């Protein structure tokens, strides 16, 4: 009898430890899988920028805030580069959970992806060399060489409105456009003012923002089509970020030294207002 009890106890202990080992294993494996993958730009200082293993910029600040709000710790965020041209495909292929990459909400893009937000309103503008005194807006681009990025709304606007007069050169990223401007291969670069302000601030005084915006770009959080649950979590996070003052602080931190201030007529936007314009 005694022997029987001992055996039963030993068996119970074995079963218990097996169960708790399995539970523990399951928990730790689910912990490693508790990650969120976010697409950002890597070459836009002040907006989305990678230096070594550090990610900075306003898009990164908003993305972190949203991820934290959804219960992810900073170390659980996986950052991926999302160049302008690849954003829709990255979402469609489930390469990322969301994209915050100076990504304008447009009807055309809404055919293939959905958006949370908006969380910022920028305006398309021009960047020129500091000694340039003739280019004050898109009306002065006749016969000029202009750089923009493939897959951006900025390139589309130029093609649709100014193509007969402007020589457009498309590049994969804005860093390449800035280099083309430094080297006198183009006369100007066009994209959103917040991006150009960051490039100018990093040019050691060689480039300047024209500061005459000619569009409104509503920055959205790109998500997989039909993920309405995620969209409402994102919008709650953005509205919280604005009401706690964290949005204002993030703008200040990320535009410090650039001289750039967001247009207060449109900023901060309320998430899900202005969408679709
Ligand atoms: N906001 C514009 C766009 O989504 C231009 C900036 C960019 O290329 O990311 O196309």
């Amino acid at each position: 009898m005694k022997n029987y009890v001992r055996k039963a106890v030993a068996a119970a202990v074995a079963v218990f430890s097996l169960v708790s080992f399995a539970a523990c294993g399951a928990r730790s494996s689910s912990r490693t899988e508790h990650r969120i993958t976010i697409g950002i730009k890597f070459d836009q200082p002040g907006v989305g920028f990678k230096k070594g293993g550090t990610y900075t910029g306003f898009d990164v600040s908003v993305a972190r805030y949203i991820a934290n709000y959804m219960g992810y710790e900073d170390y659980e965020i996986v950052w991926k580069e999302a160049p302008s041209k690849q954003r829709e495909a990255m979402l469609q292929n489930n390469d990322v959970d969301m994209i915050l990459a100076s990504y304008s909400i447009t009807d055309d893009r809404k055919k293939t992806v959905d958006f949370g937000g908006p969380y910022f309103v920028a305006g398309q503008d021009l960047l020129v060399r500091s000694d340039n005194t003739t280019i004050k807006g898109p009306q002065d681009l006749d016969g000029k060489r202009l750089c923009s990025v493939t897959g951006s709304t900025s390139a589309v606007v130029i093609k649709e409105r100014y193509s007969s007069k402007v020589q457009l050169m498309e590049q994969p990223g804005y860093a390449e456009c800035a280099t083309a401007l430094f080297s006198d291969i183009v006369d100007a670069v066009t994209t959103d003012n917040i991006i150009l302000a960051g490039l100018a601030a990093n040019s050691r005084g060689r480039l300047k923002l024209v500061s005459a915006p000619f569009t409104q770009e509503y920055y959205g959080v790109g998500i997989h089509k039909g993920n309405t649950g995620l969209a409402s979590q994102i919008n709650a996070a953005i509205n919280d970020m604005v009401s706690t003052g964290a949005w204002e602080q993030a703008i200040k931190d990320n535009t410090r030294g650039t001289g750039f201030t967001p247009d207060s007529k449109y900023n901060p936007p309320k998430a899900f207002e202005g969408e679709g314009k």
Side-chain angles (χ1 to χ4, degrees):
M1 187 70 179
K2 254 187 187 170
N3 205 20
Y4 168 78
V5 170
R6 208 181 307 126
K7 269 188 188 156
V9 168
V13 166
V15 167
F16 175 76
S17 46
L18 203 69
V19 166
S20 58
F21 176 77
C24 189
R27 218 180 303 127
S28 67
S29 77
S30 76
R31 191 181 297 139
T32 53
E33 276 155 26
H34 191 248
R35 289 190 192 284
I36 185 159
T37 306
I38 306 179
I40 54 164
K41 293 296 180 72
F42 279 4
D43 65 346
Q44 297 174 191
V47 179
F49 194 67
K50 181 184 182 207
K51 195 177 180 185
T54 310
Y55 302 89
T56 55
F58 182 65
D59 282 348
V60 174
S61 302
V62 177
R64 266 201 197 104
Y65 196 96
I66 294 170
N68 293 162
Y69 189 91
M70 288 169 60
Y72 294 93
E73 302 291 336
D74 287 354
Y75 70 86
E76 290 173 323
I77 304 173
V78 179
W79 303 103
K80 254 195 181 167
E81 185 171 24
S84 297
K85 194 181 170 225
Q86 289 165 34
R87 293 174 292 200
E88 288 82 28
M90 286 177 80
L91 287 167
Q92 285 179 303
N93 299 339
N94 280 314
D95 289 343
V96 286
D97 298 303
M98 53 171 102
I99 289 184
L100 288 94
S102 54
Y103 200 9
S104 299
I105 301 171
T106 69
D107 288 340
D108 205 35
R109 290 172 179 165
K110 279 203 277 181
K111 288 178 193 156
T112 47
V113 302
D114 277 345
F115 288 98
Y119 61 91
F120 185 72
V121 185
Q124 185 170 351
D125 211 319
L126 297 167
L127 183 73
V128 293
R129 283 182 295 277
S130 296
D131 58 1
N132 184 296
T133 51
T134 55
I135 301 175
K136 297 195 162 62
Q139 71 281 357
D140 303 321
L141 290 171
D142 283 20
K144 298 280 191 286
R145 303 156 304 167
L146 180 67
C147 189
S148 199
V149 165
T150 313
S152 68
T153 55
S154 327
V156 171
V157 165
I158 296 300
K159 281 186 230 168
E160 284 179 355
R161 297 191 205 161
Y162 305 97
S163 63
S164 57
K165 300 165 188 168
V166 181
Q167 243 180 283
L168 182 66
M169 176 175 118
E170 291 188 50
Q171 288 292 309
Y174 294 104
E176 288 91 341
C177 277
T179 305
L181 186 54
F182 281 137
S183 346
D184 208 355
I185 291 169
V186 293
D187 303 296
V189 175
T190 188
T191 188
D192 305 336
N193 47 9
I194 190 168
I195 301 172
L196 298 176
L199 294 174
N202 276 267
S203 73
R204 296 199 193 95
R206 289 186 287 166
L207 307 177
K208 66 176 181 193
L209 180 66
V210 167
S211 285
F214 49 96
T215 69
Q216 277 107 48
E217 305 297 322
Y218 286 77
Y219 283 10
V221 180
I223 55 173
H224 199 262
K225 195 142 192 66
N227 202 343
T228 46
L230 181 56
S232 47
Q233 274 183 291
I234 289 168
N235 290 336
I238 293 169
N239 291 333
D240 186 73
M241 188 177 185
V242 171
S243 67
T244 57
W247 185 94
E248 196 70 49
Q249 191 58 48
I251 282 288
K252 273 192 197 143
D253 292 346
N254 291 298
T255 60
R256 188 166 292 125
T258 67
F260 175 80
T261 46
D263 189 339
S264 58
K265 193 169 158 202
Y266 304 105
N267 286 289
K270 206 166 164 7
F272 261 14
E273 271 183 21
E275 184 213 9
K277 300 162 277 158

